[in-house]
Amino acid sequence: MKIGLVLEGGAMRGMYTSGVLDTFLENDIEVDKIIGVSAGVLFGVNYLSKQKGRAIRYNKRFIKDKRYMGMYSLLKTGDIVGKDFTFYEIPYKLDVFDDETFKNSKTEFYAAVTNVETGEAEYLKIDSVLEQMEILRATSAMPYVSNFVELNGKNYLDGAIADSIPVEKCKAMGCDKIIVVLTRTIDYRKSDTESKFASMKYGDYPNLVKAIEQRHEMYNNTVEKIIDLENKKEIFVIRPTKDLHIKRIEKDIDKLQAMYDLGVSDTNDKLKELKEYLAD
């Protein structure tokens, strides 16, 4: 039996995911494959490096630093998330990522990215976070506020554009049991607010424009499928039980902590049920 774990993105809503995964670490919940998207990747890698508390710690420490993320970085570099500070100075020097433990894990880790030429999702295997940091940049490069990230001669953006919650991909990779960690409440549905300027911004990339324009429909259809699979007990879902109204680029440290704490408490509440699902 192979157990898969799917991690939705959502920028700072990913603090919820961090709380979930830290609770997994405390309770020795292990999986065989992980597919993450955007913040699901950025924070999810700490699960395999077994660095409980790292994601909430460095986010609370640096969220108000202008070098981390926000308008200063966007205006200066074209990326709302500061490349040098966020992806290289923090994990290499300021809050060091344990890449050796990550590399020694038997769990396979994949990051979803969107190819800007094809408008389709690709799933890139991460064997070393520090050596493949540009994949982490690519999966989290939000449209409109990020530059393209080049990997092997191809340009990429946020994986959530083409596949926000890759449950079907996880199934296709041979996982019999799938845990899905979402960062939105069960009643959330995406509205068409991101496609208005797609053709203006990305006119030279028609497939990317199409993917952005269809993203809300893709997301909402995926959510409905997840609810159906959950009701059939074919997958196990952990999602926020309440809406804390966290912004994508949330600067309020108390809200970040509250989102993390909600992830911990929601997971603890479902722990017995989760273990029964995995053992069945």
Side-chain angles (χ1 to χ4, degrees), residues 35-51:
I35 306 179
V37 183
S38 194
V41 174
L42 301 189
F43 306 144
V45 293
N46 298 289
Y47 171 55
L48 293 193
S49 68
K50 299 187 183 300
Q51 289 175 282

Side-chain angles (χ1 to χ4, degrees), residues 213-227:
E213 290 177 341
Q214 295 179 345
R215 183 183 175 189
H216 66 291
E217 294 179 356
M218 176 271 293
Y219 181 90
N220 294 340
N221 288 338
T222 301
V223 168
E224 295 297 340
K225 289 178 182 177
I226 286 172
I227 292 173

